[in-house]
């Protein structure tokens, strides 16, 4: 490890070819000029006193569309959905005080999942800052720990250079959310525009060039591995299409099996025979088995989160580990690794493939080397750990997802989720062959993410089929965004697995707290069909497996937003499950009789 | 799956904290901008790192940079993690692990008030002399000594003053710089 981590100096490329005349303009106009130059065509926002000058400027421009949400948290999640499905930076515009505080959950969500966002907040006029003025809050203070970086804009003159730097920071290195807090008087103040090319660009981490010696060491280990596994995460998706291609190439060349975290689904095709399924707490037996028993683990854009590792001292005890990550602080944070490669996932994988190919010729690699490993994996696979007992009277939630997947297979489909059991069933039973198709709140686990995220996805992909796989409790956290969908003609499909419980909470209470279902039953649920109609959407309901398919097809065909109330069995649990604090080889399976003390004393203390 | 791992008593156990804790001095060169200290301090508290002292002042007016010197303790892995996390902050230009540099100089300044009389008074003067501490303020009943040096020296002086009527201590925290012509 280097003892010093350096940052790039101010970079000022010589060919600053901005032809705009340097005439002074109001801050609000400078902001929109800068957004335009950054290629922004869509903003998610909500107006208020401290951003009125910006909204006024927006009124006069056709180049930037604005989606008005119903709560600022929704604006941020929508921008996340937009960013994750397009690979571009999502943009949010909210007012000061409550506008900014409402956005905080979304910002924290984007930080943990490394989603590039720029969030513009209004602030009270400079002379009022610090006086407890109306709708004043310390936005920079409040958002400091839930953003990658934030700014309070001191003058209109600095505004455009700050906007350009904010985009640079949001999208480069490990992506994340950046807040720009703009006092109202700065929005009126006259200032000069700074072009993108002339703007200052700092970044804390300069992605180093690929270190060839590390690549060679890695390939050497790969050539001798008998039980290898590729453990991939959201970083592969963030590294762009090229990284997903590189991963596919790497898997094809080496024959290594591939698993992924919740965040990385789609980077590697689920239909590929080398695919092991998702790993972690609710991952497949073959994925977790391979992680536990492997002799070489190559982690790519994944961060050894506690949902993945389970009990750390029992985590993959006999493997050598290589970790590829763009963020040096992720390496050796939770798990010590043998080789830590800092870099862009795509570039590093390409270098590994090149080295692998170069070495292959003189010493042909022994194709049979992995045979017994493949046989072991096949054995785990045959256990069919995601299987469930179906029922012909009531709809099983897993069955509903299976049907939803089967009936939307050939379509241009994007899926978002809320948080809970339905999220895990979606990850287990809905399969993705492409990146950027799956949007879920992984790190923060934010209930209420899915509906606004779906709106953001739909706003970016007008003709796609966008489905939020939801729970009856989560969906009520941001339900008001149905109104946004209607207003902006965004035909998102909200597919609610309605078990009338805070299902995941109920499951933990069953497994950890002796079945005492303390406040996890949703009494007085709304009638979702009537609710849909009240919003001007279409409401559908399915109660039996027999009517499910026809209703799903109807949902797909309706050209309006749909709330689909899929009434499912109430007390289903998500299996398999590695209880918190347990090792990967201590999995619970479906059909398991639970006694209420499945989880150790210590495990109970963990979330 | 194999079950060849020994059962462990703890749930999230010691694997991440191998090695003994030791002290580290980190010099952090930052852009001198509003809120930069809050970022550094916030990171340290949010991630639960120890912090023994922290000093900060603008050191290069032209380049607008400040130098923050942090004394922290942790296992080698923890110190690496702290460095990496600090390095991630946008306004942080460099993180230098001063304690790893063989040619680092370390200094701290302390003001020490003792209240005493008789033999204790004489003994404290004699020790101050040995430690090259200067009496900044003298009354019939008290001294305020000024002492500079490495922390060990200051700690030793404070220990010696305790039985001699030590009343109050004010310390600057650690400063550091490289010896020789090379600079950070
Ligand atoms: C904002 C927020 N509050 C609380 C939680 C804790 N939590 C996790 S899952 C869950 C229940 C979700 O219920 P539902 O949306 O109906 O989904 P289900 O588990 O039943 O599929 C709760 C309360 C959370 N993740 N997010």
């Amino acid at each position: 490890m280097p003892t010093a981590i350096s940052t790039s100096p101010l970079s000022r490329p010589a060919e600053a070819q901005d032809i705009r005349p340097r005439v002074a303009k109001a801050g609000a106009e400078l902001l929109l000029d800068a957004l335009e130059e950054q290629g922004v065509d869509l903003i998610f926002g909500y107006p208020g006193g401290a951003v009125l000058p910006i909204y006024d400027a927006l009124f006069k421009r056709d180049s930037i569309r604005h989606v008005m949400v119903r709560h600022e948290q929704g604006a941020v999640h929508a921008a996340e959905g937009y960013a994750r499905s397009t690979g571009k930076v999502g943009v949010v515009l909210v007012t000061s005080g409550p506008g900014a505080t409402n956005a905080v959950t979304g910002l924290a969500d984007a930080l943990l999942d490394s989603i590039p966002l720029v969030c513009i907040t209004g602030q009270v006029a400079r002379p009022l800052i610090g006086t407890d003025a109306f709708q004043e809050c310390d936005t920079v203070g409040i958002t400091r720990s839930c953003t990658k970086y934030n700014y309070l804009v001191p003058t209109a003159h600095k505004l455009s250079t700050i906007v350009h730097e904010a985009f640079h920071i949001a999208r480069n290195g490990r992506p994340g959310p950046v807040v720009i807090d703009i006092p109202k008087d700065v929005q009126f103040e006259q200032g000069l525009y700074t072009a993108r090319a002339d703007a200052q660009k700092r970044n804390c981490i300069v992605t180093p060039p690929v270190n060839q010696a590390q690549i060679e060491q890695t390939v050497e280990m790969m050539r001798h591995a008998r039980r290898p596994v590729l453990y991939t995460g959201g970083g592969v998706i963030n590294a762009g299409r090229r990284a997903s291609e590189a991963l596919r190439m790497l898997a094809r060349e080496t024959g290594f099996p591939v698993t992924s975290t919740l965040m990385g689904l789609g980077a590697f095709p689920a239909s590929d025979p080398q695919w092991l399924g998702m790993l972690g707490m609710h991952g497949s037996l073959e994925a977790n088995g391979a992680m536990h028993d492997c002799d070489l683990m190559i982690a790519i854009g994944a961060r050894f989160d506690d949902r993945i590792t389970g009990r750390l001292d029992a985590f993959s005890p006999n493997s050598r580990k290589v970790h590829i990550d763009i963020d040096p602080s992720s390496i050796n944070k939770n798990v010590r690794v043998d080789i830590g490669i800092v870099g862009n996932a795509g570039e590093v994988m390409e270098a590994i493939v090149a080295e692998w190919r170069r070495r292959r010729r003189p010493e042909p690699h022994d194709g049979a080397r992995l045979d017994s490993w493949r046989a072991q994996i096949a054995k785990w696979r045959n256990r069919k750990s995601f299987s469930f007992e179906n029922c012909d009277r009531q709809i099983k939630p897993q069955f509903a997802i299976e049907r939803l997947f089967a009936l939307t297979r050939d379509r241009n489909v994007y899926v978002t989720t809320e948080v809970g059991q339905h999220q895990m069933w979606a990850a287990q039973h809905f399969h993705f062959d492409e990146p950027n198709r799956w949007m879920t709140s992984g790190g923060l686990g934010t209930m209420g993410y899915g509906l606004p995220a779906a709106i953001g996805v739909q706003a970016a992909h007008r003709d796609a089929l966008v489905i939020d796989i939801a729970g009856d409790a989560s969906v009520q956290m941001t339900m008001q965004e149905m109104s946004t969908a209607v207003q902006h003609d965004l035909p998102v499909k909200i597919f609610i697995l309605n078990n009338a419980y805070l299902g995941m909470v109920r499951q933990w209470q069953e497994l950890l707290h002796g079945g005492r279902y303390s406040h996890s039953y949703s009494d007085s649920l709304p009638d979702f069909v009537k609710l849909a109609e009240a919003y001007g959407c279409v409401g559908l309901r399915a109660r039996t497996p027999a009517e499910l398919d026809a209703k799903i097809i109807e949902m797909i065909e309706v050209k309006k937003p749909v709330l689909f109330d899929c009434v499912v069995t109430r007390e289903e649990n998500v299996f398999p499950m590695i209880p918190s604090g347990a090792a990967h080889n201590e999995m619970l399976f479906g059909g398991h009789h639970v006694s209420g003390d499945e989880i150790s004393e210590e495990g109970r203390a963990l979330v | 799956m194999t079950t060849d791992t020994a059962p462990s008593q703890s749930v999230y156990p010691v694997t991440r904290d191998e090695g003994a804790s030791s002290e580290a001095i980190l010099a952090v060169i930052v852009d001198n901008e509003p809120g930069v200290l809050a970022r550094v301090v916030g990171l340290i508290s949010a991630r639960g790192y120890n912090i023994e002292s922290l000093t900060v002042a603008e050191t290069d007016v032209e380049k607008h940079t400040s130098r923050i010197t942090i004394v922290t303790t942790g296992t080698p892995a923890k110190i690496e993690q702290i460095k990496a996390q600090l390095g991630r902050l946008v306004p942080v230009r460099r993180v230098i692990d001063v304690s790893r540099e063989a040619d680092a100089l370390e200094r701290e300044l302390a003001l020490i008030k003792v209240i005493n009389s008789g033999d204790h008074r004489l003994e404290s003067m004699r020790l101050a002399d040995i430690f090259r501490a200067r009496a900044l303020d003298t009354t019939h009943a008290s001294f305020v000594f000024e002492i500079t040096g490495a922390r060990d020296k200051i700690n030793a002086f404070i220990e010696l003053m305790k039985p001699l009527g030590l009343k109050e201590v004010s310390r600057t925290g650690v400063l550091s710089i490289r010896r020789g012509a090379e600079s950070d």
Side-chain angles (χ1 to χ4, degrees), chain A residues 73 105 418-423 425 444-448 470-477 496-506 522 574:
Chain A
Q73 180 187 349
T105 300
E418 307 292 338
V419 171
Q421 293 181 312
H422 62 275
Q423 178 189 29
W425 285 317
L444 197 65
T446 311
M447 290 169 71
D472 49 274
S474 294
V475 77
Q476 291 186 78
M477 289 218 167
I496 304 171
L497 295 181
N498 184 350
N499 55 12
Y501 272 111
L502 314 184
M504 190 57 95
V505 171
R506 192 205 54 71
S522 285
V574 182

Side-chain angles (χ1 to χ4, degrees), chain B residues 22-30 36-37 39-45 49-56 67-73 79 82-83 85-87 89 92 94-99 106 151 172-176:
Chain B
S22 63
E23 209 171 62
I25 303 175
L26 304 177
V28 189
I29 313 297
V30 299
V36 64
L37 186 60
R39 275 179 219 283
V40 170
V41 172
L43 180 139
I44 288 169
S45 73
Y49 304 144
N50 297 314
I51 179 163
E52 275 166 26
S53 85
L54 184 146
T55 55
V56 56
R67 186 178 175 113
I68 301 177
T69 309
I70 298 172
V71 181
T72 181
T73 49
I79 302 291
I82 296 173
K83 281 158 54 184
Q85 291 293 350
L86 285 169
L89 296 177
V92 169
R94 281 148 66 59
V95 180
I96 305 142
D97 192 343
V98 176
S99 34
E106 171 203 333
R151 272 164 314 153
T172 57
V174 173
L175 303 176
S176 70

Side-chain angles (χ1 to χ4, degrees), chain A residues 516-527:
Chain A
R516 289 178 298 280
Y517 298 148
S518 179
H519 306 284
S520 55
Y521 181 64
S522 285
D523 209 347
S524 317
L525 276 177
D527 177 331

Side-chain angles (χ1 to χ4, degrees), chain A residues 186-378:
Chain A
V186 171
Q187 299 167 30
F188 284 120
E189 191 181 49
Q190 299 282 310
L192 289 175
Y193 185 76
T194 305
R196 179 173 176 174
D198 293 336
Q200 75 162 5
K201 289 187 198 70
R202 287 173 303 167
N203 200 353
C204 48
I205 292 151
V206 179
T207 308
V210 173
N211 176 333
Q212 191 55 29
Q214 286 187 320
I215 301 293
E216 283 167 23
Q217 276 176 299
T218 302
V219 170
E220 192 54 31
M221 279 156 73
M222 288 165 65
R223 284 170 47 78
H224 294 102
R226 297 190 159 270
R227 300 187 308 279
V229 65
L230 300 174
Y231 150 47
T232 66
V236 179
I237 308 240
N238 273 340
R241 184 76 229 185
R242 197 174 135 193
S244 293
E245 294 302 337
L247 172 63
R248 288 156 199 233
M249 204 156 61
L250 178 64
R252 207 178 311 124
E253 288 280 322
T254 59
F256 290 3
V258 183
T259 180
S260 159
T261 65
L262 182 71
M263 293 306 293
L265 297 177
F268 191 75
S271 55
D272 193 292
Q274 279 165 254
W275 173 242
L276 297 173
M278 178 178 75
L279 81 159
M281 185 174 269
H282 294 297
S284 72
L285 173 62
E286 52 272 32
N288 287 323
M291 289 289 279
H292 187 270
D293 282 5
C294 65
D295 65 354
L296 176 64
M297 175 187 298
I298 302 183
I300 309 160
R303 60 188 177 88
F304 296 91
D305 165 87
D306 55 81
R307 281 293 179 276
I308 297 305
T309 60
R311 206 174 85 198
L312 269 178
D313 66 342
F315 176 69
S316 195
N318 303 314
S319 62
R320 297 222 266 171
K321 299 175 185 74
V322 178
H323 189 182
I324 301 163
D325 206 292
I326 199 153
D327 177 1
S329 75
S330 282
I331 292 170
N332 290 325
K333 182 173 68 178
N334 298 332
V335 170
R336 302 290 297 175
V337 296
D338 301 273
I339 303 180
I341 304 178
V342 178
N344 173 289
E347 283 170 26
V348 175
M349 283 189 283
E350 282 169 10
I352 291 176
V353 169
E355 180 64 18
W356 176 272
R357 284 182 180 151
R358 198 178 66 73
R359 297 243 191 146
R360 195 169 167 175
R361 211 85 3 103
E363 312 165 68
H365 100 288
D366 172 15
R369 204 175 78 250
L370 303 183
D371 280 356
S372 70
W373 184 228
R374 290 202 184 95
Q376 173 62 66
I377 288 170

